[in-house]
Amino acid sequence: MYIVCADMEGVFTPEIWINMAEKTGIEELRLTTRDISDYDVLMRKRLKILKTNKLTIHDIQSVIQTMAPLDGAVEFIEWLRSRIQVIILSDTFVEFAAPLMQKLGWPTLFCHHLTIDPNGTITNYNLRQTDSKRNAVISMQNLNFKVIAIGDSYNDITMLQKADRGILFSPPDTVKNEYPDFPVSYNYVDLKTIITDIIQNDTNE
Amino acid sequence: MYIVCADMEGVFTPEIWINMAEKTGIEELRLTTRDISDYDVLMRKRLKILKTNKLTIHDIQSVIQTMAPLDGAVEFIEWLRSRIQVIILSDTFVEFAAPLMQKLGWPTLFCHHLTIDPNGTITNYNLRQTDSKRNAVISMQNLNFKVIAIGDSYNDITMLQKADRGILFSPPDTVKNEYPDFPVSYNYVDLKTIITDIIQNDTNE
């Protein structure tokens, strides 16, 4: 029996930090792991920027509340969940993702969480686990699921490699060229076709 | 970070086999593991009854399509998913559960599946894994989730015992008396209170 483990940002929703940079006008929030490769250094910098600009979790959630899922994502996830079980695996934080998850109809999300003081200031971030996407795939396989993993970026590659079937969705050319073995789709129509083929050829009863 | 692992029948939906007995008039379909303790013997008997009565998967799904979730379940699951991640752990089959899952807004469901021939006859059943509910709880704990398990019956007990917090929902008195250590709720209002208390006292950052 197959299950889908899919990344969130870039697959169902826009990138949250980039949207925050645009909507707050704070350009430094555009920094990603491509600019600062050490995730802890990057996150501490982001939290410092939020604090310096006196942005609380409430301000950030207000910004995220204005974001919409990608065009077609709501319909795609409805289609997907009627055919196969789905878990979204993301390196975002549950406090950021909630407004977008609501718009997507509350699919199950495995991600990280924040420490927030009574004033709403984000004082720390808490990774649920390192290499959390790959570990979630392994856990599903231990429950005798075969895993279809869908992602767009470098932080999805270990998950895609561990999965029974990995699919790249709208990846940057760098990712696509570096990992040419994964099928690539750039829209939900093609993604549906790839998934349907996998499910229909599932002979493991 | 907590996650909820909840049984389906008796917690969110009525019992499927009992409803099938009522709606088809085939009294033998009421048999449960309380009558025939060997699950394999019970399931083979059920499949034989379906075959004898020429009931295909389409007939059964038509019956299940007429079933509704328990009163208040749709609102409860919406409330729950806005606060915490949820996975439904059930010993039903995905082909049976789908119409009810749709009415519940497609929560993630881990269960078993059937083998169905081209005519729609159910020829076999396939357990994804033995002791599947308890194993799913262990997997979530390996992903650093703390688990709140909710169930109503004997087949939920190993899951409730393994979970960080176990809750009985509308159990028969036999189950309640045999396992007096679990908090018991008989409606969603009380269940919400128990869950809220657990989440609010979660100090594990």
Side-chain angles (χ1 to χ4, degrees):
Chain A
M1 198 183 334
Y2 274 104
I3 189 168
V4 164
C5 290
D7 182 32
M8 182 183 87
E9 292 168 273
V11 177
F12 297 110
T13 76
E15 298 287 336
I16 289 178
W17 288 104
I18 289 174
N19 262 264
M20 283 213 272
E22 284 172 3
K23 295 194 174 163
T24 60
I26 304 169
E27 276 301 306
E28 275 181 297
L29 288 179
R30 275 185 190 279
L31 294 172
T32 71
T33 47
R34 288 179 212 173
D35 309 296
I36 300 176
S37 61
D38 185 321
Y39 185 73
D40 185 61
V41 172
L42 176 63
M43 274 304 302
R44 301 225 161 271
K45 190 169 174 64
R46 285 170 169 167
L47 295 188
K48 198 173 166 193
I49 295 167
L50 296 181
K51 199 174 174 189
T52 304
N53 288 276
K54 297 196 193 315
L55 289 173
T56 68
I57 185 67
H58 311 297
D59 302 314
I60 296 166
Q61 285 179 333
S62 297
V63 170
I64 296 171
Q65 192 71 56
T66 68
M67 290 173 62
L70 297 179
D71 276 353
V74 172
E75 182 275 337
F76 172 71
I77 212 164
E78 174 79 13
W79 178 90
L80 192 60
R81 291 195 289 182
S82 71
R83 281 157 181 77
I84 190 169
Q85 300 306 310
V86 181
I87 293 180
I88 298 184
L89 305 180
S90 173
D91 283 327
T92 190
F93 304 96
V94 68
E95 295 85 354
F96 286 4
L100 287 162
M101 289 300 104
Q102 181 173 27
K103 290 174 185 174
L104 288 169
W106 296 116
T108 301
L109 169 70
F110 291 179
C111 64
H112 309 297
H113 75 286
L114 299 167
T115 305
I116 298 165
D117 78 10
N119 301 320
T121 305
I122 302 169
T123 56
N124 207 351
Y125 73 96
N126 313 276
L127 297 186
R128 188 168 42 72
Q129 170 168 80
T130 55
D131 209 358
S132 58
K133 296 187 185 198
R134 183 171 175 275
N135 284 325
V137 168
I138 293 170
S139 278
M140 293 305 115
Q141 290 169 330
N142 287 340
L143 297 177
N144 287 342
F145 284 107
K146 290 194 287 186
V147 175
I148 301 171
I150 306 168
D152 71 326
S153 191
Y154 285 110
N155 72 337
D156 298 313
I157 295 298
T158 63
M159 157 176 92
L160 264 63
Q161 288 172 328
K162 188 66 199 170
D164 299 87
R165 304 293 291 267
I167 305 170
L168 285 170
F169 184 77
S170 292
D173 285 346
T174 47
V175 172
K176 178 186 145 189
N177 295 334
E178 211 168 316
Y179 300 96
D181 290 343
F182 297 119
V184 181
S185 59
Y186 289 94
N187 57 66
Y188 296 126
V189 175
D190 292 346
L191 189 54
K192 283 181 183 178
T193 304
I194 296 172
I195 292 170
T196 302
D197 282 350
I198 295 171
I199 299 175
Q200 285 180 344
N201 292 311
D202 182 16
T203 55
N204 178 4
E205 300 290 354
Chain B
M1 198 181 336
Y2 273 105
I3 190 168
V4 164
C5 291
D7 183 32
M8 183 183 86
E9 291 168 273
V11 177
F12 297 110
T13 75
E15 298 287 337
I16 288 179
W17 289 104
I18 290 175
N19 262 265
M20 282 213 273
E22 283 171 4
K23 295 193 175 165
T24 61
I26 303 168
E27 277 300 307
E28 275 181 297
L29 288 178
R30 277 185 188 278
L31 294 172
T32 71
T33 46
R34 287 179 214 175
D35 309 296
I36 300 176
S37 62
D38 184 321
Y39 185 73
D40 185 62
V41 173
L42 174 64
M43 272 306 301
R44 303 224 159 273
K45 191 169 173 66
R46 285 169 169 168
L47 295 188
K48 197 174 166 194
I49 295 167
L50 296 180
K51 199 174 174 189
T52 304
N53 288 275
K54 296 196 195 314
L55 290 173
T56 68
I57 186 65
H58 312 297
D59 302 314
I60 295 166
Q61 285 179 332
S62 298
V63 169
I64 295 172
Q65 194 70 56
T66 68
M67 291 172 62
L70 298 179
D71 276 353
V74 172
E75 182 274 338
F76 172 71
I77 212 164
E78 173 80 11
W79 177 90
L80 193 59
R81 290 195 290 181
S82 71
R83 281 158 181 77
I84 190 168
Q85 300 306 311
V86 181
I87 293 179
I88 298 184
L89 304 180
S90 172
D91 282 327
T92 191
F93 304 96
V94 66
E95 296 84 354
F96 287 4
L100 287 162
M101 288 301 103
Q102 181 173 27
K103 291 174 185 173
L104 288 169
W106 296 116
T108 301
L109 169 69
F110 291 180
C111 64
H112 308 296
H113 75 286
L114 299 167
T115 306
I116 298 166
D117 77 11
N119 301 320
T121 305
I122 302 169
T123 56
N124 207 352
Y125 73 97
N126 313 276
L127 298 185
R128 188 169 41 72
Q129 166 169 85
T130 54
D131 209 359
S132 58
K133 296 187 185 199
R134 183 170 176 276
N135 284 326
V137 168
I138 293 171
S139 278
M140 294 305 115
Q141 289 170 331
N142 287 340
L143 297 177
N144 287 341
F145 284 107
K146 291 194 286 187
V147 176
I148 300 171
I150 306 168
D152 71 325
S153 191
Y154 285 109
N155 72 336
D156 298 313
I157 295 299
T158 63
M159 158 176 90
L160 265 63
Q161 288 172 329
K162 188 65 201 170
D164 299 87
R165 304 291 292 265
I167 305 170
L168 285 170
F169 183 77
S170 293
D173 285 347
T174 47
V175 172
K176 178 185 145 190
N177 295 335
E178 211 168 316
Y179 300 96
D181 291 343
F182 296 119
V184 182
S185 59
Y186 289 94
N187 57 65
Y188 296 126
V189 175
D190 292 346
L191 189 53
K192 284 181 183 179
T193 304
I194 296 172
I195 292 169
T196 302
D197 282 350
I198 295 172
I199 298 174
Q200 286 181 342
N201 291 312
D202 182 17
T203 54
N204 179 5
E205 300 291 352

